[in-house]
Amino acid sequence: MISEEYLYAIALRECSLVGDINFHKLVRTFGSAEEAWKRAKKEYSKADGVGRKTVADIGNEDYLKFAEKEIKFCEKNQIMVRLRHLNELPYLLNECDDAPAILYQKGSFEDALPKISLVGTRNMTSYGKQFISDFFEVTKGYKCVSVSGLALGVDKEIHEQSIQHKIPTIAVLAHGFHTLYPSKNKKLSEKILEDNGALVTEFNSSRKPDRENFIQRNRIIAGLSPSTIVVETGFGGGSVSTASFANDYNREVFALPGKITDPYSQGCNQLIFQNKASSISTIKDLMDSLGFNASKEKAAELFPYSELNIQLTDSQETVYQSIKAHPQVSLDDLAQMISMASYKILPIILELELLGKVKSFSGRQFRAI
């Protein structure tokens, strides 16, 4: 039987101007969702930054009736209700300032296991599919949990490869548990639950998969893991927003580079170019960065190459040799060393990253590989 605190939490969160941040302010001020429900309308001034409009519909009996129905729905469908203010969220997600006040969950996962979020376009290419296959082939020897969004394309491949390699996977939904979107992934969602994975969402059963929910959903994908990998995405794709959330949360972001003419590599290349993601040059390098320390035998290079068969242009050679001689060199220092404007150097560095010769780090610093 779900306690009354959950009832009041659902009712409070349903109020029109009580978002996740205001919810947190109210329960922090009044000690519980139940006390906030009963007192906030009259005593709202006690809560920092909460005005009269915010609390205007707190206490509405319709929201309590809705909450009662929601709890019955959750009990009938084996859905857990997890409250942030009771420290029931996954610990990394709980660190985020805008973490959901309520998380609905089917299935379970071991929160102590390291998690890796992987996202990408619905229009996955054979290049992206091969990377995912290579990544999970290496990862299968390690205890971890994958996280993605159950969309078609890259997300679907992530969940399927996880199941195939016996890695628990979490699917973050952009709607309530009354439906499953896209419906094509219904059997996949059932398989996730059968294979020690979970489906999670911040949305109650009244919420449909509206367009704005997907961006909101992406922050949970980023918040659950210390690292996010963007496999393929176009300019302005939804995965770019996931990377932005991960950056805001001070988490690591990696992106798979590709040809500048490939539309679903352009978003990844842009993230790398803007130093919002580290370029993936080899599976081994990625695994080391993730802390998995994969063995040389298991982690083949994603972009195999020989020093002899890469012919660099004069400008590429100049930049490469300068970076090689000065590990972790900054862009400004590099520009001064070779007497070249930084805006001219950046495109060359991106070319070197695509060739697997250079790796970029935050703060516009670079190292030769």
Side-chain angles (χ1 to χ4, degrees):
M1 187 72 179
I2 298 176
S3 74
E4 285 204 340
E5 180 63 9
Y6 296 83
L7 173 75
Y8 285 106
I10 293 170
L12 185 63
R13 185 60 183 83
E14 190 66 9
C15 296
S16 56
L17 294 180
V18 180
D20 294 313
I21 293 174
N22 282 333
F23 182 103
H24 185 59
K25 288 179 181 178
L26 290 169
V27 297
R28 186 175 57 199
T29 300
F30 296 103
S32 70
E34 182 175 358
E35 285 299 306
W37 180 263
K38 293 176 177 178
R39 296 166 52 195
K41 195 163 186 177
K42 292 181 179 179
E43 303 174 40
Y44 66 87
S45 59
K46 291 182 178 179
D48 185 39
V50 174
R52 186 186 297 273
K53 286 185 178 180
T54 303
V55 301
D57 53 356
I58 291 178
N60 187 324
E61 288 295 317
D62 289 341
Y63 295 145
L64 274 180
K65 290 176 183 178
F66 170 82
E68 288 173 356
K69 290 180 181 179
E70 190 67 16
I71 286 176
K72 288 179 182 177
F73 174 83
C74 291
E75 289 177 334
K76 181 181 178 180
N77 293 280
Q78 293 82 50
I79 298 166
M80 288 181 282
V81 183
R82 305 178 70 172
L83 302 184
R84 183 189 183 190
H85 67 280
L86 297 185
N87 295 315
E88 294 176 340
L89 297 193
Y91 74 98
L92 279 176
L93 182 60
N94 193 53
E95 291 180 356
C96 306
D97 289 340
D98 58 352
I102 304 171
L103 195 68
Y104 299 90
Q105 177 179 321
K106 291 194 76 168
S108 60
F109 56 90
E110 193 175 336
D111 196 28
L113 289 178
K115 300 173 193 65
I116 309 166
S117 294
L118 299 101
V119 294
T121 177
R122 288 167 173 77
N123 302 294
M124 179 182 60
T125 70
S126 58
Y127 173 61
K129 185 172 183 177
Q130 184 62 55
F131 167 77
I132 296 168
S133 176
D134 291 345
F135 177 80
F136 279 101
E137 183 61 32
V138 172
T139 310
K140 67 181 180 182
Y142 301 90
K143 288 188 174 182
C144 63
V145 179
S146 70
V147 181
S148 198
L150 201 66
L152 299 176
V154 166
D155 291 14
K156 182 174 184 284
E157 188 70 17
I158 299 299
H159 296 305
E160 289 180 339
Q161 287 284 340
S162 298
I163 292 168
Q164 181 181 327
H165 291 95
K166 301 189 183 308
I167 294 170
T169 187
I170 300 171
V172 186
L173 309 180
H175 51 76
F177 276 117
H178 63 298
T179 188
L180 196 287
Y181 179 86
S183 57
K184 290 180 180 179
N185 283 346
K186 183 166 177 37
K187 286 187 178 179
L188 175 58
S189 70
E190 293 168 353
K191 187 66 176 170
I192 288 171
L193 296 176
E194 289 171 9
D195 287 70
N196 303 312
L199 310 178
V200 302
T201 181
E202 66 183 302
F203 300 106
N204 62 47
S205 64
S206 71
R207 298 293 296 276
K208 299 176 182 179
D210 295 325
R211 185 175 181 180
E212 63 270 17
N213 292 357
F214 289 88
I215 298 295
Q216 200 169 324
R217 179 273 311 268
N218 289 347
R219 85 188 196 289
I220 295 181
I221 296 176
L224 280 167
S225 304
S227 303
T228 293
I229 298 171
V230 184
V231 179
E232 289 184 299
T233 188
F235 286 126
S239 300
V240 174
S241 73
T242 310
S244 295
F245 284 123
N247 277 304
D248 289 343
Y249 298 149
N250 222 10
R251 310 288 171 81
E252 288 186 301
V253 181
F254 301 90
L256 182 68
K259 295 178 182 178
I260 60 175
T261 53
D262 289 349
Y264 296 109
S265 287
Q266 289 172 350
C268 290
N269 291 344
Q270 184 183 41
L271 286 170
I272 295 165
F273 181 76
Q274 294 176 341
N275 285 299
K276 294 180 179 178
S278 296
S279 176
I280 298 170
S281 56
T282 68
I283 296 287
K284 178 185 183 304
D285 185 52
L286 174 60
M287 296 300 285
D288 287 343
S289 296
L290 293 171
F292 283 93
N293 300 314
S295 66
K296 291 182 180 179
E297 291 78 15
K298 294 181 73 176
E301 289 186 346
L302 175 60
F303 301 116
Y305 67 92
S306 163
E307 294 289 342
L308 296 175
N309 62 22
I310 292 182
Q311 299 296 321
L312 300 181
T313 64
D314 290 344
S315 57
Q316 287 174 341
E317 186 68 34
T318 299
V319 172
Y320 174 69
Q321 291 300 334
S322 298
I323 294 174
K324 190 174 182 181
H326 302 87
Q328 297 290 116
V329 65
S330 70
L331 179 62
D332 290 342
D333 289 342
L334 186 61
Q336 190 172 357
M337 284 178 200
I338 62 177
S339 300
M340 184 185 295
S342 58
Y343 74 88
K344 292 183 178 180
I345 296 175
L346 280 172
I348 298 171
I349 288 175
L350 178 57
E351 292 166 358
L352 291 170
E353 285 188 296
L354 296 178
L355 291 169
K357 302 286 286 182
V358 165
K359 178 176 174 62
S360 64
F361 296 86
S362 59
R364 291 195 168 188
Q365 295 182 325
F366 311 97
R367 175 170 61 84
I369 297 172

